[in-house]
Amino acid sequence: KLLEEWDDPVLEPWEVTRGSDHRARWRCRECGWSFHTNVKDRTKSKHPTGCAACAGKVPTETHNLALACEESGGRL
């Protein structure tokens, strides 16, 4: 599952360990967002990092302040 998101141009998954500080590039299999984070942060057992776009933490074409204002009918 995690290997499906590996999109790093520098190293291959077999060249790092799960505790590596290497800041790899990943591509979310759900939304296609490309992001960088340390390998060890994606593989830790408690609260591993995931896609910030799916979590609503970065603006995207389908999740941003302008759309939220439009969808709220001007309440924001």
Side-chain angles (χ1 to χ4, degrees), residues 17-36:
T17 64
R18 65 181 295 175
S20 174
D21 284 325
H22 175 65
R23 191 164 172 81
R25 185 174 71 190
W26 308 85
R27 183 167 304 279
C28 178
R29 68 186 178 292
E30 298 294 323
C31 73
W33 185 262
S34 181
F35 60 100
H36 291 84

Side-chain angles (χ1 to χ4, degrees), residues 16-65:
V16 298
T17 64
R18 65 181 295 175
S20 174
D21 284 325
H22 175 65
R23 191 164 172 81
R25 185 174 71 190
W26 308 85
R27 183 167 304 279
C28 178
R29 68 186 178 292
E30 298 294 323
C31 73
W33 185 262
S34 181
F35 60 100
H36 291 84
T37 194
N38 292 344
V39 174
K40 69 180 181 182
D41 292 334
R42 296 286 329 260
T43 60
K44 60 187 176 181
S45 59
K46 290 187 179 181
H47 310 294
T49 58
C51 176
C54 287
K57 295 182 179 183
V58 296
T60 65
E61 290 180 15
T62 58
H63 180 81
N64 61 59
L65 181 59

